[in-house]
Amino acid sequence: MSTNPASFFKTLSIIHLALVVGIVAFGTFKYMNNGSFKANADPNDVFIYVIPVVAAFGYFMSQFMFKKQLQAIHRTDSLTLKLQKYQASSIIKYIFIEGPAFLALIAYGFNGNALFLVIAIFLVVYLYSQKPTKLKFMNEVPLTIEDKTEFKNTNT
Protein backbone atom coordinates (compact mmCIF):
# COMPACT_ATOMS: atom_id res chain seq x y z
CA MET A 1 0.00 0.00 0.00
CA SER A 2 1.20 3.47 -0.78
CA THR A 3 1.96 5.79 2.10
CA ASN A 4 0.30 8.68 0.27
CA PRO A 5 -3.17 9.26 1.77
CA ALA A 6 -4.58 10.33 -1.60
CA SER A 7 -3.60 7.03 -3.25
CA PHE A 8 -4.78 5.17 -0.15
CA PHE A 9 -8.29 6.60 -0.52
CA LYS A 10 -8.26 5.95 -4.25
CA THR A 11 -7.39 2.29 -3.62
CA LEU A 12 -9.96 1.88 -0.85
CA SER A 13 -12.61 3.59 -2.98
CA ILE A 14 -11.87 1.22 -5.87
CA ILE A 15 -12.20 -1.80 -3.57
CA HIS A 16 -15.47 -0.42 -2.20
CA LEU A 17 -16.84 0.31 -5.67
CA ALA A 18 -15.85 -3.15 -6.93
CA LEU A 19 -17.75 -4.78 -4.08
CA VAL A 20 -20.86 -2.66 -4.71
CA VAL A 21 -20.75 -3.22 -8.47
CA GLY A 22 -20.21 -6.95 -7.96
CA ILE A 23 -23.32 -7.29 -5.83
CA VAL A 24 -25.38 -5.12 -8.18
CA ALA A 25 -24.25 -7.15 -11.20
CA PHE A 26 -24.99 -10.43 -9.43
CA GLY A 27 -28.40 -9.14 -8.32
CA THR A 28 -29.22 -7.99 -11.83
CA PHE A 29 -28.18 -11.37 -13.20
CA LYS A 30 -30.32 -13.20 -10.64
CA TYR A 31 -33.32 -10.95 -11.31
CA MET A 32 -33.03 -11.36 -15.09
CA ASN A 33 -32.68 -15.14 -14.84
CA ASN A 34 -35.40 -15.62 -12.26
CA GLY A 35 -37.93 -13.18 -13.59
CA SER A 36 -40.38 -13.86 -10.75
CA PHE A 37 -41.27 -11.58 -7.93
CA LYS A 38 -43.41 -13.34 -5.33
CA ALA A 39 -44.57 -11.43 -2.30
CA ASN A 40 -45.93 -14.39 -0.36
CA ALA A 41 -44.05 -15.99 2.49
CA ASP A 42 -43.94 -19.76 2.57
CA PRO A 43 -43.60 -20.80 6.25
CA ASN A 44 -41.88 -24.01 5.14
CA ASP A 45 -39.10 -22.09 3.43
CA VAL A 46 -36.11 -22.04 5.78
CA PHE A 47 -34.70 -18.96 4.01
CA ILE A 48 -37.63 -16.86 5.22
CA TYR A 49 -36.16 -17.16 8.72
CA VAL A 50 -32.45 -17.38 7.93
CA ILE A 51 -31.98 -14.47 5.52
CA PRO A 52 -33.37 -11.68 7.77
CA VAL A 53 -31.36 -12.99 10.73
CA VAL A 54 -28.16 -13.24 8.68
CA ALA A 55 -28.75 -9.75 7.23
CA ALA A 56 -29.27 -8.23 10.69
CA PHE A 57 -26.25 -10.13 12.02
CA GLY A 58 -24.11 -8.86 9.13
CA TYR A 59 -25.22 -5.28 9.68
CA PHE A 60 -24.55 -5.30 13.42
CA MET A 61 -21.29 -7.24 13.11
CA SER A 62 -20.04 -4.82 10.46
CA GLN A 63 -20.54 -1.97 12.90
CA PHE A 64 -19.18 -3.85 15.89
CA MET A 65 -16.03 -5.16 14.18
CA PHE A 66 -15.29 -1.82 12.54
CA LYS A 67 -15.50 0.03 15.85
CA LYS A 68 -13.53 -2.69 17.63
CA GLN A 69 -10.73 -2.51 15.06
CA LEU A 70 -10.71 1.27 15.15
CA GLN A 71 -10.00 1.01 18.87
CA ALA A 72 -6.79 -0.80 17.96
CA ILE A 73 -5.55 2.32 16.19
CA HIS A 74 -3.44 4.29 18.62
CA ARG A 75 -2.73 7.98 18.49
CA THR A 76 1.01 7.16 18.60
CA ASP A 77 0.89 4.97 15.45
CA SER A 78 2.35 6.41 12.27
CA LEU A 79 -0.05 7.81 9.70
CA THR A 80 0.83 4.97 7.34
CA LEU A 81 -0.02 2.37 9.97
CA LYS A 82 -3.27 4.19 10.77
CA LEU A 83 -4.19 4.16 7.09
CA GLN A 84 -3.40 0.45 6.82
CA LYS A 85 -5.45 -0.41 9.89
CA TYR A 86 -8.33 1.74 8.67
CA GLN A 87 -8.24 -0.01 5.30
CA ALA A 88 -8.31 -3.45 6.92
CA SER A 89 -11.15 -2.38 9.22
CA SER A 90 -13.14 -1.00 6.30
CA ILE A 91 -12.70 -4.13 4.19
CA ILE A 92 -13.90 -6.32 7.07
CA LYS A 93 -16.91 -4.03 7.49
CA TYR A 94 -17.68 -4.34 3.79
CA ILE A 95 -17.42 -8.13 3.90
CA PHE A 96 -19.92 -8.39 6.75
CA ILE A 97 -22.39 -6.44 4.61
CA GLU A 98 -21.57 -8.06 1.28
CA GLY A 99 -21.86 -11.68 2.49
CA PRO A 100 -25.51 -11.44 3.62
CA ALA A 101 -26.38 -9.49 0.47
CA PHE A 102 -25.01 -12.30 -1.71
CA LEU A 103 -26.80 -14.88 0.40
CA ALA A 104 -30.08 -12.98 0.05
CA LEU A 105 -29.62 -12.84 -3.73
CA ILE A 106 -28.88 -16.57 -3.88
CA ALA A 107 -32.03 -17.26 -1.85
CA TYR A 108 -33.97 -14.97 -4.19
CA GLY A 109 -32.65 -16.98 -7.13
CA PHE A 110 -34.04 -20.20 -5.63
CA ASN A 111 -37.63 -19.12 -5.19
CA GLY A 112 -38.13 -15.53 -6.36
CA ASN A 113 -39.31 -14.25 -2.98
CA ALA A 114 -39.35 -10.45 -3.09
CA LEU A 115 -38.33 -10.22 0.57
CA PHE A 116 -34.87 -11.56 -0.23
CA LEU A 117 -34.39 -9.14 -3.09
CA VAL A 118 -35.51 -6.22 -0.93
CA ILE A 119 -33.11 -7.25 1.86
CA ALA A 120 -30.27 -7.45 -0.67
CA ILE A 121 -31.15 -4.03 -2.07
CA PHE A 122 -31.13 -2.48 1.40
CA LEU A 123 -27.77 -4.07 2.17
CA VAL A 124 -26.31 -2.78 -1.11
CA VAL A 125 -27.60 0.73 -0.41
CA TYR A 126 -26.11 0.55 3.08
CA LEU A 127 -22.81 -0.74 1.69
CA TYR A 128 -22.76 2.10 -0.82
CA SER A 129 -23.33 4.60 1.99
CA GLN A 130 -20.19 3.30 3.68
CA LYS A 131 -18.01 4.75 0.93
CA PRO A 132 -14.66 5.80 2.39
CA THR A 133 -14.01 9.52 2.56
CA LYS A 134 -11.23 11.64 3.97
CA LEU A 135 -13.67 13.32 6.35
CA LYS A 136 -14.85 9.97 7.75
CA PHE A 137 -11.24 8.91 8.24
CA MET A 138 -10.37 12.12 10.07
CA ASN A 139 -13.42 11.78 12.32
CA GLU A 140 -13.03 8.07 13.09
CA VAL A 141 -9.27 7.72 13.58
CA PRO A 142 -7.36 9.33 16.44
CA LEU A 143 -4.99 11.67 14.60
CA THR A 144 -2.28 13.83 16.08
CA ILE A 145 -1.74 17.39 14.93
CA GLU A 146 1.24 16.18 12.92
CA ASP A 147 -0.91 13.50 11.27
CA LYS A 148 -3.55 16.06 10.35
CA THR A 149 -0.92 18.38 8.92
CA GLU A 150 0.68 15.59 6.92
CA PHE A 151 -2.73 14.36 5.81
CA LYS A 152 -3.84 17.81 4.64
CA ASN A 153 -0.50 18.61 2.94
CA THR A 154 -0.60 15.43 0.84
CA ASN A 155 -4.22 15.90 -0.21
CA THR A 156 -4.12 19.34 -1.77
Side-chain angles (χ1 to χ4, degrees):
M1 184 188 99
S2 174
T3 58
N4 180 354
S7 64
F8 159 80
F9 279 102
K10 184 177 180 181
T11 302
L12 190 56
S13 293
I14 289 170
I15 291 169
H16 175 264
L17 183 62
L19 294 174
V20 170
V21 168
I23 295 173
V24 169
F26 185 68
T28 303
F29 172 76
K30 281 295 188 184
Y31 181 75
M32 295 299 196
N33 281 343
N34 194 338
S36 66
F37 198 75
K38 297 185 292 186
N40 60 345
D42 179 11
N44 296 326
D45 183 11
V46 70
F47 287 125
I48 204 78
Y49 306 106
V50 171
I51 298 301
V53 170
V54 170
F57 178 78
Y59 168 78
F60 289 114
M61 282 303 291
S62 73
Q63 293 297 307
F64 175 75
M65 291 302 293
F66 183 69
K67 288 177 184 174
K68 183 122 175 113
Q69 289 194 336
L70 285 183
Q71 291 174 350
I73 300 175
H74 303 291
R75 185 173 292 283
T76 57
D77 292 342
S78 68
L79 182 58
T80 301
L81 184 58
K82 290 175 184 177
L83 289 168
Q84 290 171 345
K85 288 180 177 182
Y86 186 80
Q87 183 178 45
S89 302
S90 296
I91 291 171
I92 289 171
K93 175 173 62 172
Y94 303 155
I95 289 169
F96 272 109
I97 301 165
E98 183 187 34
F102 270 118
L103 185 62
L105 290 172
I106 290 169
Y108 168 74
F110 285 141
N111 61 16
N113 191 329
L115 173 66
F116 306 142
L117 186 60
V118 169
I119 288 173
I121 289 169
F122 277 113
L123 287 170
V124 169
V125 168
Y126 175 66
L127 177 61
Y128 181 76
S129 74
Q130 298 304 302
K131 181 179 179 179
T133 65
K134 296 169 189 170
L135 183 61
K136 284 182 185 178
F137 174 78
M138 292 182 76
N139 290 334
E140 294 171 339
V141 175
L143 298 174
T144 62
I145 295 172
E146 294 82 17
D147 291 337
K148 290 179 183 180
T149 304
E150 181 182 348
F151 189 77
K152 288 178 183 177
N153 288 342
T154 58
N155 287 307
T156 55

